[in-house]
Amino acid sequence: MNNYFIILASGQSKRFNSNKPKQFNIYKNKAVFKHSIEKAIKSKLFKKIILVVNNQKLIKEKFHKKVSIIKGGKERSDSSLIALKYIKKLKPINVLIHDAARPNFSIKLLNNLIISLKKNKAVIPVINSKDSIKYKIKNQLFNLNRNNSFLTQTPQAFKFKDLFELSIKQKSNVTDEASMFIENNLKIKFIKGEHLNNKITYKEDIKDDKIFFGIGFDIHRLVKNKKLYLGGIKIPFHSGLKGHSDGDVIIHSIIDSILGAIRKKDIGTYFPDNQKKYKNIRSPNMLKPIVEILDNNQLYINNLDINLICEQPKVSKYRDKIIRSLSSLLNIDKELINLKGKTVEKLGLIGKEKAIACEVICSISK
Ligand code: ZN
């Protein structure tokens, strides 16, 4: 196992609008470059992992004993050569060079690279472009044929000896090591790269999707001579739910769970029960302005889980109907809504069919 892993983290991130270089920003709960270190260690493929940085002060923690941190050069190719010179004394056979700005490669890709190196001097992961590419020569535009063009990724794997010889000779700056092999007409083995292994270039690339959760609870007393509404539909039953509105415990709990997730107080703030204009309001009309808040703020519901707590009516009988109604009121797919029925062993007010309660948890993303 004479493999070495070089992580280049000395770039200036000119296109990345932040005071810290992108490889030191937090992504998926840790600094971008740490993902590469951890995967390299976990793979057990490497004798040593070399992290090349410009500012060693930015690294405050201690790493695994296999990790060495060295200072890079002005350009990417300078840093790469400094790292190659640094490991030369250790007599490496294989070396992988990786951009710290690609934290999402898999350990499987590392394995594939090492395996392919047995019969090749340079192994490069590539993917097809998802977008069509045009190029321009003297003001004339051309289409790049997508079938014979591809995008190169890192890690790129090499026989140390061959890469070292090329790097020593290389005069101009190159954007990756594969370019040197191409410029010198040397054979490269291309293997399948990974679409998730994209390079973090802009600040938007590492904006984590924030997920928020909210819970809602409601209970209403059952009274004779009132219609029963649950989830926006009328359900045949001996009693209905008493309240300032139609008493729809499902919709009221949903509203509170949404307001909880978006941190906007509670249902009573929007629909005070001492206001005449809300007397006998149908609950779907209370839900509407709340759904509008979501739409206006690019917020969307990931899922809803509902517990309807009652002895009667039986939830299983109305489940599909209620879910269909909620799906249309919330304008979300039916698959995102789950409704469970829960009885209370005939205990208390709910057990004696004098009340119905509901609890809801919802998850919302921006
Ligand atoms: Zn209520």
Side-chain angles (χ1 to χ4, degrees):
M1 190 191 71
N2 215 335
N3 310 320
Y4 290 76
F5 194 65
I6 294 173
I7 302 168
L8 301 175
S10 52
Q12 297 300 310
S13 311
K14 289 173 195 125
R15 286 174 287 181
F16 192 83
N17 185 22
S18 167
N19 41 15
K20 246 193 283 176
K22 61 191 173 191
Q23 54 276 22
F24 295 96
N25 276 262
I26 301 297
Y27 172 68
K28 293 183 182 169
N29 298 334
K30 57 190 76 153
V32 170
F33 74 91
K34 279 188 79 179
H35 292 273
S36 299
I37 292 182
E38 287 180 5
K39 274 183 251 193
I41 292 170
K42 208 171 163 199
S43 74
K44 298 196 168 81
L45 289 167
F46 304 100
K47 218 170 204 174
K48 224 170 188 0
I49 295 146
I50 320 298
L51 178 69
V52 190
V53 295
N54 262 342
N55 186 355
Q56 277 152 299
K57 274 185 207 146
L58 283 172
I59 302 201
K60 293 181 184 82
E61 66 238 85
K62 280 239 174 294
F63 285 104
H64 191 278
K65 58 182 187 305
K66 279 187 179 175
V67 179
S68 300
I69 299 165
I70 63 170
K71 191 169 167 20
K74 199 162 168 269
E75 303 289 347
R76 182 200 147 99
S77 43
D78 303 324
S79 296
S80 166
L81 184 58
I82 289 168
L84 292 173
K85 283 178 176 166
Y86 177 83
I87 58 169
K88 191 170 186 285
K89 56 182 184 288
L90 306 166
K91 300 194 171 26
I93 304 288
N94 300 321
V95 60
L96 268 63
I97 302 209
H98 179 58
D99 286 328
R102 291 185 191 270
N104 292 321
F105 65 91
S106 71
I107 291 177
K108 191 171 160 230
L109 180 62
L110 296 179
N111 276 305
N112 292 343
L113 287 163
I114 298 283
I115 290 167
S116 298
L117 254 191
K118 282 180 188 155
K119 289 183 181 160
N120 298 282
K121 291 176 175 174
V123 186
I124 313 293
V126 294
I127 54 165
N128 291 319
S129 170
K130 286 180 273 187
D131 306 310
S132 28
I133 303 176
K134 318 278 179 234
Y135 62 99
K136 200 166 139 184
I137 300 175
K138 288 185 181 160
N139 282 330
Q140 197 180 345
L141 278 172
F142 298 89
N143 287 313
L144 196 67
N145 183 348
R146 262 204 281 187
N147 297 323
N148 57 17
S149 51
F150 34 73
L151 309 171
T152 58
Q153 303 187 323
T154 75
Q156 304 189 343
F158 306 93
K159 287 273 166 32
F160 176 82
K161 194 173 143 289
D162 300 271
L163 180 65
F164 190 74
E165 279 168 15
L166 276 181
S167 302
I168 288 279
K169 282 192 301 187
Q170 183 71 29
K171 292 281 177 282
S172 58
N173 184 36
V174 285
T175 52
D176 66 354
E177 283 60 40
S179 314
M180 288 194 292
F181 276 72
I182 292 166
E183 281 173 19
N184 288 280
N185 275 322
L186 295 169
K187 202 176 156 252
I188 294 178
K189 166 81 176 167
F190 292 115
I191 66 165
K192 211 167 166 245
E194 295 171 328
H195 278 284
L196 286 178
N197 181 21
N198 39 20
K199 191 173 183 173
I200 292 172
T201 309
Y202 304 102
K203 210 156 187 190
E204 302 87 270
D205 295 340
I206 57 169
K207 213 183 87 205
D208 272 338
D209 281 342
K210 290 258 186 306
I211 296 177
F212 293 96
F213 297 97
I215 67 170
F217 174 81
D218 196 24
I219 183 164
H220 283 262
R221 204 177 275 277
L222 276 165
V223 289
K224 296 270 178 218
N225 302 318
K226 219 183 163 212
K227 288 172 187 156
L228 176 65
Y229 288 99
L230 289 174
I233 58 164
K234 202 169 92 186
I235 302 223
F237 198 52
H238 58 68
S239 306
L241 292 168
K242 191 181 171 205
H244 192 63
S245 64
D246 63 8
D248 191 328
V249 284
I250 294 184
I251 291 185
H252 297 178
S253 308
I254 289 175
I255 291 174
D256 258 351
S257 74
I258 293 173
L259 292 173
I262 64 176
R263 282 106 52 236
K264 296 260 187 238
K265 305 197 176 103
D266 53 29
I267 190 168
T269 309
Y270 298 81
F271 305 101
D273 59 11
N274 54 13
Q275 282 201 19
K276 257 205 176 126
K277 62 175 171 178
Y278 299 128
K279 182 99 186 96
N280 295 324
I281 185 177
R282 285 291 321 278
S283 296
N285 295 330
M286 301 166 77
L287 187 55
K288 224 176 256 165
I290 308 298
V291 172
E292 268 164 31
I293 298 178
L294 296 181
D295 290 344
N296 294 340
N297 292 283
Q298 287 93 45
L299 295 158
Y300 60 92
I301 295 173
N302 297 310
N303 75 312
L304 281 176
D305 189 24
I306 306 161
N307 282 342
L308 184 66
I309 307 158
C310 58
E311 294 297 331
Q312 292 288 341
K314 284 281 164 258
V315 167
S316 54
K317 203 171 160 192
Y318 300 100
R319 178 177 284 122
D320 289 348
K321 246 183 149 176
I322 292 174
I323 287 179
R324 231 179 299 134
S325 157
L326 292 174
S327 152
S328 130
L329 291 171
L330 294 158
N331 194 20
I332 64 173
D333 197 280
K334 290 200 304 258
E335 299 287 309
L336 304 176
I337 304 169
N338 187 60
L339 173 61
K340 309 199 285 294
K342 186 95 194 101
T343 59
V344 290
E345 308 262 314
K346 308 235 182 304
L347 289 166
L349 277 179
I350 295 173
K352 290 181 182 70
E353 292 185 34
K354 297 241 186 297
I356 292 180
C358 182
E359 57 189 358
V360 172
I361 184 157
C362 83
S363 146
I364 288 182
S365 288
K366 189 165 176 107

